[in-house]
Amino acid sequence: MIQEKGSISIHTENIFPIIKKFLYSDHEIFLRELVSNAVDAIQKAKRLASLGQFHGEIGAPLVQVKVDKEAKTITVSDNGIGMTADEIKKYINQIAFSGAEEFMEKFKEAKDASEIIGRFGLGFYSAFMVADKVEIQTLSYQPGAEPAQWTCDGSTEFEISAGTRTTRGTEVILYVNDENKEFLEDGRIESILKKYAKFLPVPVQFGTKTESEPDGEDAEGEPKYKEVEVPNIINTGVPIWTIAPGELKKEDYLNFYRELYPFSEDPLFWIHLNVDYPFHLTGVLYFPKIKNDIELQRNKIQLYSRQVFITDEVKDIVPEFLMLLHGVIDSPDIPLNVSRSFLQSDSNVKKINTYITRKVADKLAELFKSDRKSYEEKWGDIGIFVKYGSISDPKFWERAKDFVLLENTKKDYFTLSEYREKVAPNQTDKDGNVVYLYTPNPERQDGYIQAANKKGYDVLLMNSPLDNHFISHLERDLEKTQIKRVDADVLEKLIDKGEEVASNLSEEQTKEIKDIYEKAITQPGMEVTVENLSPEAMPVTVTMDEFMRRMKDMAALGGGGMSFYGSMPDRYKVAVNANHPLVTKILSETNGDTRNALAQQAFDLALLAQGMLTGPALTSFVERSMKMI
Ligand code: ADP
């Protein structure tokens, strides 16, 4: 006997074709929505019970999902508060959005399913993405309530009548259509549940599974086992972010991490997030061992809303540089299902960004302060991340100035202020700029490094993929500071203290040696200069101007607007040391061939020191050397 027929109150066109048409991309979320509703209904029952407003037995809370392949149905049931017929009318029939007009306007712009569903509270109606007909059987917790049923075949017509349910709670039955029969496979449903429901606060059961259980001993005294059917509970994970940090041990955090990322190395450390005001957010963020493959590590943060998995694309919600972190963020205040552009301008999202950045900075500052040694040991991993944050987020940089470390070639670590104090006395040039020297490759630039060290200069190690950017960033930010690669010029010019070194050569001799070198060097892009350097310096040094080299490095990394530099041929400076004994020797050599060979040899040695001597040039160097010895 049908009690009531009616029409779902959307007075524009039929909503279901819209739902089906526009909600194509992620059909699977219907299950997330229905299971969430079921959990909510149970949580409401528990809350009422705790307020003393619930009469009768609350029983063991359970959400059950069942698939009947023959009947082509999926059923989601719960023992929550249930609904009366009036409540069905109120909550289900009057689709919970402010106005159908607005909806019809907005759906045109919507790009994916979740956008419509979240924005307009269509959670329940997402069932129609996969089902042609949906049925609700429900019995309210309220004393004397009658069971009610609701069916709808995907038109705007529905029917409400007396239901059949005998126990409190709700059952939603989906008659799955042929296009969506993939959802009638147990494996598919189980994997969707595992994805979205792993950490839900109420047990979610999907059928049963067999387990073996001890069953006494056999005749020989060996233990026997028997197969037993046990409920297959999906959400066995412990959502540790909901537990107070004081109650958690190190092992709990590690176990949780291993559960989230079974194939990863253990993390370095973690931050437990917990805010109530001005927004709600909980979570645990882990610092992974980053190494150098930044790209691989992204998209590892999972976003939850009240323990329901939403997405692992947290771009825009988490600051860009924190995308390298792993872990879980849970916030009911993030507008989960709206478009990206909306997210970026959302004030809660901005506050969340600021909060997370501050927490991360706090944690790093604390680690640095409380145990500098272990902080230094972890710097190899933390460094990339701190540098990334420093470059990309001015607020973070303000904090990071205190805990960003510079490492030198001797593996000593300095804060920015410590380093300045260390090098300022000996590395200040005639204009008052403190010059920091660095090497991206201590192996290859050993000669330059040793020469610099001999002069009492310190050399920083800058060999991470971000260091090019980080160096520019430091230079922009630190006052009266220049940063130069250790091979950017001859040592005397690298830090120009304005000390004039007298020349051993007459003007004529200077011209002559320049001439000799210009003839001897056949490679393109080499500009010869004669310089008055100390007699201990190399006779010939090949350098590339710091600015030029940096532009080329940036161009190679794909920096915007830099391609101009990338296409320019390399240009090097060949500095001939006027004061080196070898230069005097070359000039006094009367045999033209020997003179050329000596000049060539000194040039090749300079190339060799730069790692630039390769191919035929290397071969002829080896041959010439053989002859000479
Ligand atoms: P939302 O969950 O965003 O409010 P839904 O369309 O999913 O929107 O559900 C509308 C309403 O229907 C819910 O707020 C709730 O009052 C009621 N409802 C849905 N599912 C259940 C259920 N399993 N048990 C009790 N009430 C339910």
Side-chain angles (χ1 to χ4, degrees):
M1 178 207 70
I2 294 168
Q3 285 181 333
E4 185 170 342
K5 274 191 166 195
S7 162
I8 292 166
S9 51
I10 300 178
H11 51 267
T12 337
E13 300 153 51
N14 189 340
I15 190 172
F16 299 106
I18 299 168
I19 291 177
K20 281 181 198 161
K21 189 168 165 214
F22 285 92
L23 310 194
Y24 53 85
S25 56
D26 29 8
H27 280 181
E28 65 179 36
I29 63 167
F30 78 91
L31 197 55
R32 176 185 89 187
E33 296 299 320
L34 296 182
V35 170
S36 301
N37 281 349
V39 168
D40 285 349
I42 290 173
Q43 300 280 63
K44 281 178 194 158
K46 283 203 225 164
R47 211 165 310 131
L48 287 171
S50 73
L51 294 172
Q53 291 171 14
F54 190 93
H55 307 285
E57 273 303 305
I58 188 112
L62 185 66
V63 175
Q64 279 185 292
V65 179
K66 287 183 186 137
V67 174
D68 185 332
K69 220 172 162 174
E70 243 149 74
K72 298 188 184 168
T73 58
I74 300 172
T75 304
V76 178
S77 59
D78 64 72
N79 52 2
I81 53 171
M83 283 180 277
T84 61
D86 281 343
E87 284 167 337
I88 294 181
K89 285 177 209 163
K90 195 159 140 208
Y91 298 130
I92 300 292
N93 292 344
Q94 293 170 14
I95 294 177
F97 58 86
S98 43
E101 310 292 335
E102 187 199 358
F103 175 78
M104 297 306 284
E105 247 342 281
K106 285 284 156 55
F107 85 79
K108 290 183 197 143
E109 297 157 21
K111 271 165 222 77
D112 56 35
S114 46
E115 192 166 332
I116 301 181
I117 289 174
R119 194 85 169 258
F120 299 98
L122 291 178
F124 168 76
Y125 279 89
S126 64
F128 288 97
M129 292 196 295
V130 299
D132 286 340
K133 178 179 150 192
V134 177
E135 180 182 333
I136 300 175
Q137 290 288 350
T138 181
L139 175 58
S140 165
Y141 77 101
Q142 289 165 44
E146 297 286 336
Q149 76 173 34
W150 176 95
T151 50
C152 178
D153 64 0
S155 67
T156 43
E157 309 296 309
F158 66 87
E159 285 177 20
I160 294 184
S161 57
T164 56
R165 200 173 161 95
T166 52
T167 54
R168 171 179 48 83
T170 303
E171 203 169 305
V172 178
I173 303 141
L174 276 56
Y175 294 85
V176 177
N177 58 31
D178 281 344
E179 298 105 83
N180 288 286
K181 54 177 189 282
E182 58 175 292
F183 294 109
L184 293 170
E185 300 299 329
D186 285 354
R188 181 86 168 98
I189 293 296
E190 185 162 358
S191 74
I192 299 172
L193 288 172
K194 282 252 189 285
K195 176 168 169 189
Y196 293 101
K198 198 165 163 186
F199 294 113
L200 282 178
V202 173
V204 177
Q205 181 188 349
F206 181 58
T208 56
K209 58 181 179 186
T210 46
E211 266 180 7
S212 41
E213 190 177 84
D215 185 26
E217 290 171 359
D218 64 13
E220 277 92 52
E222 294 291 316
K224 277 202 313 186
Y225 294 92
K226 65 173 178 205
E227 302 270 281
V228 286
E229 290 275 308
V230 294
N232 177 22
I233 302 295
I234 296 292
N235 42 345
T236 48
V238 182
I240 65 161
W241 69 91
T242 63
I243 302 171
E247 288 169 32
L248 293 166
K249 295 192 191 61
K250 188 178 164 205
E251 217 39 39
D252 298 322
Y253 287 104
L254 289 175
N255 285 337
F256 182 60
Y257 187 82
R258 290 169 195 145
E259 176 159 12
L260 290 177
Y261 317 105
F263 301 107
S264 298
E265 262 184 89
D266 277 353
L268 296 167
F269 49 87
W270 47 86
I271 306 169
H272 199 128
L273 305 169
N274 204 338
V275 231
D276 282 331
Y277 183 83
F279 50 86
H280 292 276
L281 180 123
T282 48
V284 178
L285 289 179
Y286 292 89
F287 280 68
K289 296 218 169 111
I290 290 179
K291 299 289 174 313
N292 283 344
D293 43 356
I294 293 179
E295 281 308 315
L296 283 182
Q297 307 273 345
R298 303 173 73 87
N299 279 341
K300 290 282 196 147
I301 299 177
Q302 303 184 350
L303 181 65
Y304 286 74
S305 178
R306 295 198 182 89
Q307 290 164 247
V308 183
F309 172 80
I310 305 296
T311 178
D312 49 14
E313 286 184 27
V314 295
K315 204 171 170 298
D316 303 327
I317 293 164
V318 173
E320 163 75 14
F321 77 98
L322 292 174
M323 298 283 288
L324 299 177
L325 299 185
H326 294 178
V328 167
I329 292 175
D330 188 327
S331 175
D333 292 340
I334 297 174
L336 299 164
N337 299 313
V338 291
S339 68
R340 291 253 165 258
S341 54
F342 186 82
L343 259 191
Q344 283 168 335
S345 58
D346 184 79
S347 69
N348 266 341
V349 170
K350 281 196 186 129
K351 283 182 210 145
I352 287 169
N353 252 291
T354 313
Y355 167 79
I356 294 177
T357 305
R358 202 183 67 223
K359 282 308 247 193
V360 168
D362 286 349
K363 179 75 185 184
L364 289 163
E366 175 213 308
L367 278 174
F368 172 71
K369 234 175 111 188
S370 66
D371 189 352
R372 173 143 177 185
K373 194 162 160 284
S374 112
Y375 184 83
E376 287 180 1
E377 280 161 11
K378 291 178 183 138
W379 183 249
D381 295 291
I382 312 172
I384 294 192
F385 165 83
V386 173
K387 285 171 185 173
Y388 195 9
S390 298
I391 296 164
S392 58
D393 186 330
K395 279 218 182 84
F396 183 78
W397 172 235
E398 277 313 308
R399 302 283 314 274
K401 279 177 187 173
D402 294 334
F403 53 72
V404 72
L405 293 183
L406 299 174
E407 182 187 359
N408 71 8
T409 52
K410 293 169 183 154
K411 302 227 170 305
D412 296 323
Y413 294 90
F414 307 88
T415 63
L416 293 178
S417 58
E418 287 165 358
Y419 195 70
R420 196 170 187 82
E421 215 165 288
K422 175 185 166 68
V423 300
N426 197 27
Q427 294 182 212
T428 304
D429 71 9
K430 63 180 189 329
D431 302 321
N433 290 314
V434 182
V435 182
Y436 295 2
L437 303 179
Y438 72 94
T439 175
N441 190 337
E443 284 285 302
R444 264 178 63 165
Q445 304 196 312
D446 187 65
Y448 294 90
I449 296 167
Q450 288 207 24
N453 286 164
K454 225 184 260 167
K455 227 175 148 51
Y457 296 166
D458 191 71
V459 180
L460 292 170
L461 182 65
M462 291 284 183
N463 61 351
S464 94
L466 286 175
D467 277 340
N468 264 321
H469 294 282
F470 184 61
I471 289 167
S472 309
H473 172 76
L474 277 183
E475 246 179 0
R476 237 175 291 132
D477 200 83
L478 301 178
E479 270 171 44
K480 297 228 98 182
T481 307
Q482 283 181 1
I483 308 181
K484 292 185 181 171
R485 206 163 99 165
V486 68
D487 61 341
D489 207 335
V490 294
L491 200 52
E492 274 79 357
K493 293 274 173 66
L494 212 45
I495 304 177
D496 186 355
K497 296 182 178 171
E499 297 158 354
E500 283 298 325
V501 182
S503 178
N504 259 350
L505 306 181
S506 68
E507 218 169 290
E508 217 164 285
Q509 285 174 310
T510 307
K511 239 192 187 151
E512 198 184 342
I513 190 79
K514 192 170 180 215
D515 212 43
I516 293 172
Y517 266 96
E518 275 170 354
K519 288 210 180 95
I521 296 169
T522 49
Q523 285 95 326
M526 298 282 169
E527 192 194 331
V528 178
T529 66
V530 180
E531 307 211 359
N532 305 329
L533 310 175
S534 105
E536 282 90 52
M538 295 270 284
V540 179
T541 319
V542 177
T543 59
M544 188 195 248
D545 175 67
E546 176 71 20
F547 175 76
M548 185 67 188
R549 198 192 36 68
R550 224 186 272 178
M551 291 305 140
K552 288 192 87 79
D553 285 351
M554 294 279 206
L557 281 177
M562 296 285 172
S563 53
F564 164 70
Y565 292 99
S567 61
M568 274 171 76
D570 287 341
R571 291 198 65 82
Y572 296 93
K573 183 172 99 173
V574 180
V576 180
N577 184 356
N579 296 330
H580 198 279
L582 182 69
V583 172
T584 323
K585 191 176 165 190
I586 293 172
L587 282 170
S588 60
E589 179 60 58
T590 45
N591 179 317
D593 285 348
T594 316
R595 192 168 62 183
N596 262 350
L598 282 175
Q600 190 74 53
Q601 189 74 358
F603 174 63
D604 282 355
L605 284 170
L607 289 180
L608 193 64
Q610 264 287 35
M612 283 168 59
L613 194 60
T614 53
L618 179 59
T619 313
S620 73
F621 167 75
V622 172
E623 280 166 4
R624 191 180 334 105
S625 303
M626 294 301 283
K627 266 189 225 149
M628 282 183 168
I629 56 173

